[in-house]
Amino acid sequence: MEERIRGWEKNVRRVVPYTPGEQPKRSDIVKLNTNECPYPPAPQVQRVLEAFDAGQLRLYPDPEASALREALAARYRVRPEQVFVGVGSDDVLALAFLTFFNGEKPVLFPDVTYSFYDVWAKLYGIPYRTVALDGEWRLKKEDYLTENGGIIFPNPNAPTGLETPLDEVEEIAAKNPDSVVIVDEAYVDFGGTSALPLVERYDNLLVVQTFSKSRALAGLRIGFAIGSPRLIRYLNDVKFSFNSYTMNRLTIECGKACVEAEEYFQEMTGRIIRTREWAKRELGSLGFSFPDSRANFIFAKHESVKAAELFEALRREGIYVRYFPKPRIDDYLRITVGTQEEMERLITFLRGYLHGNV
C-alpha cells in the first residue's frame, strides 16, 4: 500500500543520497571495497590515545584546530592561514561547494568520478554539467576551458585511478581566473603529483586532501584544504556560520601526531604502492585490463567474465570489492589495495575461479 504524503512533507528537501561502500559486520573478511588503509595509524597516534586526558572532553575544542593547522602548514610549507581543516575531506568539499559554487553558470566535473559531487550540487541547488572522460578514461583539459561556475575533479581520479598531468591542472587553473578550481587529491600520496605548489600562483585554486587513505585515520574523519588566504577566509566564514566546533579535541591531537610521523607515512605509502604494482601484474596475467592507477585501488575489467558475476563470487568468498552498476563502468570492479597477504588471497581465489577450480 502506498504511504500517504503528509502535509509537512511538501516542504522537505528531497535528495538521492550518496551510497558509501558496504561496511560488513563480519570480521572474517578481506575488505577491499572502501579504499581504507590496510595498515594501522602511526605509533605516535597510539601514544596520543593512551595519554589523552578524558577530563578535557568537558571543554569545547579549539574551533580553529590551530595545532593541526600549524602542523599541516609546516609539513606542506605554507602559512597556517592557507590551511582549512574539516571532518573528513567530504566535509571540506561540501563546505567548498556551499561557499564557492553560487553562480548561475554550471559547475563542471567529470562524468565518471567521485559520486558525491552531483549529490552536493543537487542538495545545494547548484547548476552543474558533467564532462565525459575520453575513451581511455582521461580528463580532457580543453573541456574545462569554457564558461563555467566552478570546476572540481579528483587527481588521481576515482574510480579510474588515472592522474591528470600537473601542467594540465595548471592550465585549467590559469585559464579560469574567474572560477574556483578545486583539485580533490584524496589519493595523491600513492604516486601522484600534488598541485599544492600551484596555490601560491593561483588564488582561485583550492587543493583538498584527506587522512582517510594514506594516513590510516578514516575512523577519525580528518580532511584539509590548502589555498590562498582569501579562499580560506571565505571557507571559514561559512564554517563558522554553520558549526564552529566541528573537530573534537582528541582528533586534533591525533591528527597533529599523524602529520608529524613522516617516516611512518612514507613507509606505509611505499608498501601500498609496491603491493599495487604486484597486483597489477597478477591481475594482468589473469586476463584483467585496467588503467594505470596512481591511487590505492585498481579499476579492473576481465576479458570474458562480467564484473557483476565476479563481484558476487568474491563476496561469497568473504572478499569485498566495489561494483558500480552504472553506465560506462558496470563491467569494472574497483579493488582497494590491501596488505600483501590480502591481495594474495584475492589473486588465489580469482585464479581458481577463472580456471574453474572453485
Side-chain angles (χ1 to χ4, degrees):
M1 182 182 296
E2 186 174 344
E3 188 177 7
R4 181 178 64 85
I5 301 296
R6 275 77 168 170
W8 54 262
E9 289 181 282
K10 296 176 182 178
N11 298 317
V12 170
R13 185 185 299 276
R14 300 189 183 201
V15 293
V16 178
Y18 169 76
T19 304
E22 185 177 2
Q23 296 287 358
K25 305 301 181 185
R26 296 170 53 185
S27 58
D28 59 335
I29 65 165
V30 174
K31 191 170 183 295
L32 307 176
N33 67 328
T34 49
N35 295 344
E36 296 148 323
C37 181
Y39 300 106
Q44 291 89 328
V45 174
Q46 182 64 41
R47 290 197 283 271
V48 168
L49 294 172
E50 292 169 352
F52 186 77
D53 176 10
Q56 297 181 54
L57 297 180
R58 68 183 181 83
L59 303 171
Y60 284 112
D62 172 11
E64 296 184 349
S66 300
L68 178 55
R69 287 174 53 244
E70 289 168 5
L72 285 165
R75 165 64 174 78
Y76 292 103
R77 298 181 181 179
V78 295
R79 291 165 286 164
E81 58 266 32
Q82 292 180 268
V83 182
F84 177 88
V85 297
V87 185
S89 61
D90 286 341
D91 180 46
V92 176
L93 290 166
L95 287 169
F97 268 64
L98 189 59
T99 304
F100 301 119
F101 296 160
N102 288 293
E104 296 179 354
K105 298 174 184 177
V107 171
L108 306 180
F109 48 83
D111 66 332
V112 177
T113 194
Y114 186 30
S115 53
F116 227 141
Y117 296 161
D118 64 335
V119 173
W120 287 318
K122 292 171 184 175
L123 178 64
Y124 297 138
I126 299 168
Y128 72 93
R129 179 166 62 86
T130 59
V131 182
L133 300 176
D134 69 16
E136 296 182 345
W137 301 114
R138 294 193 176 278
L139 179 149
K140 296 178 289 184
K141 67 178 182 180
E142 294 79 13
D143 292 337
Y144 296 85
L145 307 182
T146 184
E147 282 196 326
N148 63 79
I151 294 170
I152 182 168
F153 55 90
N155 200 33
N157 194 17
T160 65
L162 284 174
E163 181 179 31
T164 300
L166 188 59
D167 62 337
E168 295 186 14
V169 174
E170 179 169 13
E171 186 172 352
I172 291 170
K175 292 187 177 179
N176 286 282
D178 296 326
S179 298
V180 173
V181 176
I182 302 175
V183 183
D184 180 356
E185 294 187 344
Y187 304 102
V188 75
D189 294 323
F190 301 104
T193 302
S194 178
L196 280 172
L198 301 179
V199 300
E200 299 295 343
R201 278 179 265 172
Y202 303 99
D203 65 1
N204 63 322
L205 178 64
L206 189 72
V207 177
V208 179
Q209 294 190 16
T210 178
F211 283 47
S212 296
K213 318 299 181 185
S214 56
R215 296 189 184 274
L217 288 180
L220 274 186
R221 313 305 299 126
I222 303 175
F224 65 96
I226 294 178
S228 67
R230 178 172 292 190
L231 283 180
I232 301 305
R233 281 199 304 271
Y234 283 127
L235 266 177
N236 277 320
D237 286 347
V238 171
K239 172 191 172 181
F240 292 136
S241 301
F242 185 76
N243 183 352
S244 297
Y245 301 108
T246 55
M247 185 169 289
N248 65 66
R249 285 174 169 266
L250 181 57
T251 297
I252 292 169
E253 289 193 26
C254 288
K256 178 178 182 293
C258 189
V259 172
E260 293 170 348
E262 182 66 21
E263 184 176 348
Y264 184 86
F265 167 74
Q266 296 294 341
E267 178 187 349
M268 289 303 101
T269 54
R271 188 181 298 181
I272 291 167
I273 290 169
R274 289 191 294 274
T275 298
R276 179 190 68 203
E277 296 307 304
W278 174 87
K280 285 180 184 177
R281 293 191 294 271
E282 295 297 316
L283 288 168
S285 72
L286 294 176
F288 286 91
S289 59
F290 37 82
D292 188 18
S293 175
R294 285 295 177 265
N296 68 333
F297 56 82
I298 301 168
F299 188 55
K301 173 183 179 179
H302 194 264
E303 60 189 9
S304 59
V305 183
K306 294 293 186 183
E309 177 186 336
L310 290 172
F311 171 76
E312 292 298 339
L314 287 162
R315 197 172 187 276
R316 289 192 297 270
E317 184 66 14
I319 302 173
Y320 284 65
V321 297
R322 193 79 190 267
Y323 171 61
F324 301 94
K326 296 181 177 181
R328 294 191 72 190
I329 61 173
D330 63 351
D331 212 15
Y332 286 81
L333 298 175
R334 192 196 68 190
I335 305 167
T336 302
V337 177
T339 64
Q340 183 69 27
E341 293 74 20
E342 288 172 331
M343 299 307 285
E344 287 174 2
R345 179 174 164 184
L346 168 79
I347 295 299
T348 298
F349 174 79
L350 287 173
R351 183 177 292 115
Y353 186 83
L354 295 169
H355 293 162
N357 298 325
V358 175

